[in-house]
Amino acid sequence: MDFHLSDELVAVQDLARSIFADRATTDRIREVEASETRVDERLWADLAGAGLVGIALPEEHGGAGLGLAGLCVLLEEQGRFVAPVPLWTSGVAALAVATHGDEEQRGRILPSAADGSLRLALALEEFAPAEPDAPACTATVDGNAWRLTGTKAVVPSPQGADAVLVSATTDRGPGLFLVQADAEGARWEQAETTTRDLSGHLHLDRAVGHAIGDPGGDALRQTLRRATAALAAIQGGVAQGALALAAGYLGERHQFGRPLATFQAVQHQLADCYIDIEAMRVTLWQALTSLADEAPGADAAVLVAKWWADQAGLDVVHRTQHVHGGIGVDVDYPAHRFFLWGKQISGTFGGAEAALADLGERLAVEEVVS
């Protein structure tokens, strides 16, 4: 199977890389990490002005029409630079509205989401033992709306979000609901994450929400698959950025009269990183292709991509920080930031072990599709 990017996606990749390289410098990231919101609003505006915030959304609503694949190319570039903007959450949430929302919701939300003037947060996780596909948060009918009660854990980057896409369980099954960020009955509790993002625990007490798609339908399942692929794309970029930083450092740092990069043990470490990154890339695009084709094995392909992103991604940031020696743990040097991002992503929606367990359960009851 050919996983080379199309000309359109290469153009997206080049444009995104240029903007991130110019804007997401180490000094700028350090400045944003010390800010009140931890979100780089200037970078967000630049990405929106370049048409990248709406890269996945339909053209009739102001987007570029490149779907999840376009979003993942953008996210991979973001990961290379560990740029603090909420692209994956807002992008996946807007895609859910584009796919499952009714005509009124699409017309009201998507144009503003595409130009970056409206931002959506994504609340899909809860505290254990709740699983993302079976939320403990509940939604009950109240006229033309729904009332949501429960707690959503570690909602990424809610600062500046206009609304939150919340997963909740109804008497028909799980679904997605759009809740205004400042809705009555919605209370935020700030929670800093490993990546220094100011996430929030969202406590809902009969807060009004509006269903995106039919509760009990496919909206939550599809959104979880897309969110998992989006995170795998960011993790791939994080791993690539970490490897590039390590290679540059080792080529310049000398011991015993020669560059560290010439030592065989170090070369083997970086070779392992390269192999892991290639496996992450291939499994991600296998998953994206399966999702686009609605292939029978799409769920399994997403879980395989998740396992590689969680396990190999974490291995890469471990190795690359290790080969930096003492400077790898110096927070004035950027190596630690890739490790923090890799660690955070590897535990979102459960870690590698959870992905492997879910994959095993699925393969035990499904016919294997190659």
Side-chain angles (χ1 to χ4, degrees), residues 68 104 134 147 183 253:
L68 183 60
E104 186 277 332
R147 295 280 182 175
R253 184 70 182 264

Side-chain angles (χ1 to χ4, degrees), residues 70 86 93 100 164-165 192 202 211 261 321 328 341:
H100 303 285
V164 189
L165 191 65
E192 184 173 0
L202 176 58
Q321 189 170 35
W341 276 55

Side-chain angles (χ1 to χ4, degrees), residues 194 235 314 317-318 338-348:
T194 302
Q235 188 79 311
L314 192 56
V317 295
H318 265 288
F338 291 94
F339 177 83
L340 294 178
W341 276 55
K343 183 70 172 177
Q344 176 74 29
I345 293 169
S346 70
T348 304

